[in-house]
Amino acid sequence: MAETPPSGESLLYLTDEQLRKGIEAMFFAYRGFTADPDRILEERDYGRAHHRAVHFIHRTPGLTVSSLLAILGVTKQSLNRVLRTLFDDGLVEARVGKTDKRERRLHLTDKGAELERALSDAQRARMRAAYRAAGPQAVQGFRTVLEAMMDPEMRRQYLREDGS
Amino acid sequence: MAETPPSGESLLYLTDEQLRKGIEAMFFAYRGFTADPDRILEERDYGRAHHRAVHFIHRTPGLTVSSLLAILGVTKQSLNRVLRTLFDDGLVEARVGKTDKRERRLHLTDKGAELERALSDAQRARMRAAYRAAGPQAVQGFRTVLEAMMDPEMRRQYLREDGS
DNA sequence: CTTGGAATGTCAACAACACTGACGTAAATT
DNA sequence: AATTTACGTCAGTGTTGTTGACATTCCAAG
């Protein structure tokens, strides 16, 4: 196989071994990434699905159910089960859309915001530690590769509202 | 909104917004990361759990059930369900340990290796495309941040057998 | 004004994949 | 001989996902 990097300035010598290492890095890192929130969620009898819903409602207050559906990429039945428990527990509230009364615009209650903060504090702490350990250049590269790895549709979701 | 991008050698000032963006990048990228294998697995009536098992048996032929258990971080009951279907379908075979006859050392059959190749080809293709798009520096940073994000125990698993 | 479609909710059934707990067996270790 | 280790298995449960079918409300277009 190619041991000499191809000429030109983009000297990526991508052996299968290197790529495999990247694949495993994603696998193990994702586990670390979710570990802290998972612990908090378990205490309160919620799951990752609740985390995701709460996260995106926090990020975009007033988003509709169908938008959330598109972001999460699950069926409405699946999302609805989660949303119902969040309503019942008073973490999320739905307000009827102003222009379109069919829409239910989702918002976090104070209680919901409190859970969101607990979860994202934990997750940010780990992310911050990783960023610090890796340094600014690494952070830039991290984001660039992840972005390139997304499906185009998801990349659009990601870039929406911009941010860095 | 970013006033000054985090690139260059400037220190990191890690705003919550920046960190949130990193969190979402992980979320969306992981979806892309698993999308291609998921399609192949569905065709053949397997799931992600089978993928993980096959991947690590391929990576370390002859590994024991308990090692695999430690890597995957699941219960033996859960792993056993998956391994049984892989045995039954003739993708994996278990050989009694030479020195310790209690051990079952796991190996892929030709058929198993064929599935592994299909899965990792797909996953590597995406990884390669992402790497190419991002460039060598980004790749380095990507790996560095992911490594820093792992739990220490998982990092040891990851670094075992070294590589790159 | 009627009709079609969009946005949403809900019931029911099912599957993958995780968990706990308990029990069993063979082989290694002490 | 007793204990521990490695592994398997039976049974039950929970979360999160899926299809499929059906109802409601409301906007928009003919």
Side-chain angles (χ1 to χ4, degrees):
Chain A
M1 296 298 281
E3 289 169 2
T4 314
S7 54
E9 40 211 31
S10 63
L11 51 147
L12 283 290
Y13 44 97
L14 299 169
T15 66
D16 281 2
E17 248 315 276
Q18 283 230 318
L19 294 165
R20 201 214 49 166
K21 217 58 186 156
I23 287 166
E24 290 193 12
M26 275 299 279
F27 173 68
F28 288 124
Y30 199 78
R31 284 252 292 272
F33 172 70
T34 54
D36 304 325
D38 281 354
R39 273 187 285 273
I40 294 169
L41 290 160
E42 200 187 5
E43 285 169 16
R44 315 198 188 189
D45 266 28
Y46 292 117
R48 276 191 205 171
H50 301 88
H51 184 184
R52 293 195 277 265
V54 164
H55 173 95
F56 285 106
I57 294 169
H58 170 78
R59 161 183 133 156
T60 312
L63 95 170
T64 63
V65 173
S66 56
S67 306
L68 187 50
L69 237 29
I71 291 170
L72 297 178
V74 297
T75 58
K76 65 178 172 176
Q77 293 91 329
S78 193
L79 175 58
N80 223 263
R81 203 178 5 204
V82 169
L83 281 183
R84 202 175 346 168
T85 75
L86 293 174
F87 289 141
D88 292 351
D89 297 353
L91 302 189
V92 170
E93 60 180 27
R95 303 177 195 156
V96 172
K98 278 177 193 165
T99 60
D100 189 334
K101 290 179 186 167
R102 290 170 304 178
E103 293 175 343
R104 303 172 65 195
R105 318 209 75 121
L106 304 169
H107 298 263
L108 293 184
T109 64
D110 289 351
K111 201 174 161 194
E114 188 249 321
L115 174 60
E116 195 284 328
R117 210 170 312 116
L119 292 170
S120 68
D121 278 356
Q123 204 157 37
R124 272 199 304 266
R126 184 181 291 249
M127 189 72 70
R128 190 179 349 243
Y131 276 12
R132 286 236 169 90
Q137 289 238 337
V139 169
Q140 181 64 34
F142 166 75
R143 290 271 295 270
T144 305
V145 173
L146 286 189
E147 198 176 314
M149 203 154 36
M150 296 174 196
D151 275 339
E153 197 184 339
M154 286 303 110
R155 192 175 307 125
R156 258 175 271 128
Q157 291 290 348
Y158 172 73
L159 296 173
R160 250 208 58 226
E161 197 193 2
D162 184 52
S164 164
Chain B
M1 299 228 285
E3 296 103 36
T4 313
S7 58
E9 54 283 294
S10 67
L11 16 148
L12 351 232
Y13 50 91
L14 300 168
T15 66
D16 282 1
E17 248 314 276
Q18 284 229 317
L19 294 165
R20 202 215 49 169
K21 218 53 188 159
I23 286 166
E24 291 193 9
M26 275 298 280
F27 174 69
F28 288 124
Y30 198 78
R31 284 252 291 272
F33 172 69
T34 54
D36 303 325
D38 280 355
R39 273 188 285 273
I40 294 169
L41 290 160
E42 200 187 5
E43 286 169 15
R44 315 198 188 188
D45 266 28
Y46 292 118
R48 275 189 206 173
H50 300 87
H51 184 184
R52 293 196 278 266
V54 163
H55 173 95
F56 285 106
I57 294 169
H58 170 78
R59 161 183 132 155
T60 311
L63 93 170
T64 62
V65 173
S66 58
S67 304
L68 187 51
L69 237 30
I71 291 170
L72 297 178
V74 298
T75 58
K76 64 179 174 178
Q77 293 92 326
S78 193
L79 175 58
N80 224 263
R81 196 182 335 124
V82 169
L83 280 184
R84 204 174 346 171
T85 74
L86 293 174
F87 289 143
D88 292 350
D89 297 352
L91 301 189
V92 170
E93 60 181 26
R95 304 177 194 157
V96 172
K98 279 176 192 166
T99 61
D100 189 335
K101 289 178 186 168
R102 290 170 306 178
E103 294 175 343
R104 301 172 66 199
R105 318 212 74 121
L106 303 170
H107 297 264
L108 293 184
T109 64
D110 289 351
K111 201 174 159 193
E114 188 249 322
L115 174 61
E116 194 283 330
R117 209 169 311 115
L119 292 170
S120 67
D121 279 356
Q123 205 157 36
R124 274 199 303 265
R126 184 182 291 249
M127 189 72 69
R128 188 178 296 123
Y131 276 11
R132 286 237 169 91
Q137 288 236 337
V139 169
Q140 182 62 36
F142 165 75
R143 289 270 295 271
T144 305
V145 173
L146 287 189
E147 196 176 317
M149 201 153 38
M150 297 175 196
D151 274 339
E153 198 184 340
M154 286 301 112
R155 192 176 308 126
R156 259 176 269 129
Q157 292 289 349
Y158 172 73
L159 295 173
R160 247 207 61 222
E161 196 191 2
D162 186 52
S164 165

